Amino acid sequence: MALLFVYGSLKQGFPNEHVNGGRRIAGEYRTQERYRLYLLGPGDVPCLVAPPVAGHQVIGELYEVDDDDLRRTDRLERIGEPQGYERVEIMVERFDASPVVSLQVLVYLKQDRSIAASVERIGPFPEYKQEHAA
């Protein structure tokens, strides 16, 4: 089993939650480092952009996932395709507990250099919300 941090459409109550077959882990989580969370392109697709720089500690949800869950989400995120995401390890914090707990997790993101300059970027945001998905 692995831990997967989701910040966009894979979150509970969002359009692709049906693809996320993991078990949600209780708590409130955010990235340890500051990332840029944008809505990209004509579909306003949520995307965490690396490398971590000035931006936000992005808030998301944490799931325990198995290999089948990762295969499904890898397909959705187009891992290995030219315009797809990368699945990498980052550190997140559970910030509703004292002391703050840090965990190494998997996340889907894109490298800034892989996003064409012509792609519209809205943001950055600290959190993907229902109004963004609308």
Side-chain angles (χ1 to χ4, degrees):
M1 296 298 253
L3 295 175
L4 178 65
F5 178 75
V6 300
Y7 55 84
S9 67
L10 290 167
K11 293 192 318 182
Q12 191 172 12
F14 286 81
N16 289 317
E17 78 170 314
H18 66 281
V19 178
N20 181 0
R23 180 183 65 85
R24 187 166 178 191
I25 306 295
E28 295 182 44
Y29 298 90
R30 66 183 175 212
T31 59
Q32 194 168 52
E33 296 188 81
R34 295 180 178 278
Y35 287 87
R36 291 156 294 151
L37 172 60
Y38 290 113
L39 303 180
L40 294 182
D44 291 339
V45 177
C47 183
L48 196 65
V49 177
V53 293
H56 302 281
Q57 286 183 281
V58 175
I59 296 171
E61 299 172 352
L62 194 62
Y63 289 83
E64 187 176 64
V65 295
D66 62 23
D67 290 342
D68 288 336
D69 298 325
L70 287 175
R71 277 191 283 280
R72 277 192 306 279
T73 52
D74 282 357
R75 276 193 303 275
L76 175 73
E77 304 296 4
R78 300 183 339 260
I79 297 299
E81 295 181 25
Q83 299 304 314
Y85 289 69
E86 295 178 53
R87 178 171 27 107
V88 300
E89 292 183 337
I90 65 167
M91 297 298 293
V92 298
E93 301 173 340
R94 180 175 178 179
F95 64 94
D96 64 333
S98 184
V100 171
V101 177
S102 295
L103 300 161
Q104 188 169 0
V105 301
L106 299 172
V107 69
Y108 294 97
L109 55 70
K110 289 188 179 190
Q111 298 297 324
D112 189 50
R113 67 181 180 275
S114 72
I115 303 168
S118 61
V119 173
E120 180 184 14
R121 298 178 189 209
I122 302 170
F125 300 101
E127 182 177 10
Y128 184 67
K129 297 182 178 183
Q130 287 295 338
E131 65 242 28
H132 300 128

